[in-house]
Amino acid sequence: MHTERVTIEGVDFETTLHLGGPVGLLALHGGVEGGTAELASTVAARTGATLLTFTQPTGPPTHIPSTRMSPCTPLTTFLAHTTLTISLHGHNRRSAPRTIYVGGSNRPAARVLATALSHRAPAFVPLTTLSEIPNPLRGLHPDNPVNQTRDGGVQLELPVQARTTHPAPTDPEVPPTEVVDALTAGVRLITERLSAVSESDEF
């Protein structure tokens, strides 16, 4: 586990990087979208996946869009090491408090995670139809790190209750057990499928 301070657009971040398997768990906005860094860390620890989280130890929380998270050393190392990225984000759409938007360029992997969420976290509704996902949450831009690994990736936009059981700012962030279990199962299946295909095959 390697921790490093980086500065992006004048904002100081603390990054935590652990190199593991070919699937990478990424939380770019751990300091802003509560519970995403903790959820990524827990799932990575359970599955042996590679992990990279960004948090903001000082200053007011600042949200820098994913497409502008510059290629700092930890992110460059993460992208070079992993084959497929699962990027965890948070949304606060009042009209969709139970909806998990499942975007990103790797649609087969997106469906694997959506199925795992449907089976193991039935209180939430995973949505994979891109035309029904709000455009800012689709995670399809080529400059978004989720799409910059060899097999692209999946961007999960999670409502508050799907990423933390303690949403008050003063409480520690504890991801819901059922969501942890669902993502763990999904990541394990994706990892198995990656190992079963040759480099020339599509996931």
Side-chain angles (χ1 to χ4, degrees):
M1 195 81 70
H2 176 71
T3 300
E4 181 176 336
R5 292 287 184 100
V6 300
T7 302
I8 300 173
E9 296 189 6
V11 179
D12 292 328
F13 292 91
E14 182 173 277
T15 65
T16 299
L17 174 66
H18 177 72
L19 299 181
V23 174
L25 274 295
L26 178 64
L28 292 169
H29 303 126
V32 180
E33 297 166 351
T36 54
E38 292 78 7
L39 182 56
S41 299
T42 304
V43 174
R46 285 190 176 191
T47 61
T50 293
L51 171 72
L52 177 60
T53 63
F54 287 74
T55 56
Q56 297 176 34
T58 60
T62 302
H63 184 278
I64 298 175
S66 299
T67 55
R68 301 208 319 255
M69 293 294 282
S70 60
C72 58
T73 298
L75 183 55
T76 300
T77 302
F78 173 89
L79 294 174
H81 181 80
T82 56
T83 298
L84 186 151
T85 298
I86 298 169
S87 189
L88 304 184
H89 297 262
H91 77 80
N92 294 295
R93 302 210 166 211
R94 294 181 180 178
S95 61
R98 292 283 176 175
T99 300
I100 298 175
Y101 297 109
V102 190
S105 61
N106 193 313
R107 304 316 297 155
R111 288 188 286 273
V112 169
L113 290 179
T115 298
L117 286 162
S118 294
H119 289 167
R120 295 174 179 264
F124 301 99
V125 180
L127 186 60
T128 59
T129 304
L130 290 172
S131 62
E132 297 178 6
I133 298 175
N135 189 58
L137 306 183
R138 292 177 185 172
L140 297 177
H141 197 287
D143 290 341
N144 188 328
V146 73
N147 299 314
Q148 294 179 342
T149 41
R150 190 192 75 190
D151 291 329
V154 182
Q155 180 161 306
L156 292 178
E157 294 279 354
L158 301 141
V160 173
Q161 292 183 19
R163 48 191 161 91
T164 179
T165 58
H166 295 280
T170 56
D171 290 338
E173 306 285 5
V174 180
T177 300
E178 63 271 25
V179 176
V180 172
D181 291 344
L183 294 186
T184 297
V187 169
R188 284 175 175 162
L189 182 54
I190 290 170
T191 302
E192 290 172 4
R193 292 188 178 183
L194 284 174
S195 65
V197 298
S198 68
E199 292 187 0
S200 60
D201 290 333
E202 182 179 353
F203 174 84

